[in-house]
């Protein structure tokens, strides 16, 4: 399957969105007090998993963008 540049940009946008929202979530989680330990463990696992997903999507997005960019000049030269 070949991804186009627009697909790569969507993957990168989702990755950036995940990072921004979960960094905010980390700040908010750090500001809470008086919760049971399970609350912090569950949310920490959630944060780690989602930041991992963001990293994976970002990697795929960068690779797809580079592949689309490398293929693009051939099409432009043909015109």
């Amino acid at each position: 399957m070949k991804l186009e540049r627009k697909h790569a940009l969507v993957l990168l946008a989702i990755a950036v969105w995940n990072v921004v929202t979960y960094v905010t979530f980390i700040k908010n989680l750090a500001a809470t007090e008086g919760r049971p330990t399970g609350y912090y463990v569950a949310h920490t696992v959630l944060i780690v998993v989602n930041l991992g997903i963001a990293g994976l999507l970002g990697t795929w997005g960068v690779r797809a963008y580079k592949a689309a960019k490398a293929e693009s000049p051939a099409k432009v030269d043909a015109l």
Side-chain angles (χ1 to χ4, degrees):
M1 180 175 153
K2 244 181 198 181
L3 295 177
E4 297 178 15
R5 189 175 287 182
K6 62 183 174 183
H7 300 121
L9 294 175
V10 168
L11 289 172
L12 290 170
I14 293 169
V16 169
W17 177 257
N18 273 354
V19 170
V20 168
T21 56
Y22 279 94
V23 166
T24 303
F25 189 45
I26 291 168
K27 291 178 185 176
N28 292 337
L29 186 63
T32 61
E33 293 181 13
R35 301 280 184 157
T37 304
Y39 174 85
Y40 294 107
V41 171
H43 285 85
T44 301
V45 169
L46 179 68
I47 290 166
V48 169
V49 168
N50 279 292
L51 290 177
I53 290 170
L56 180 65
L57 291 177
T59 301
W60 287 349
V62 168
R63 287 182 183 177
Y65 188 81
K66 286 181 180 179
K69 190 174 180 182
E71 187 177 295
S72 181
K75 291 180 181 177
V76 174
D77 291 339
L79 296 176

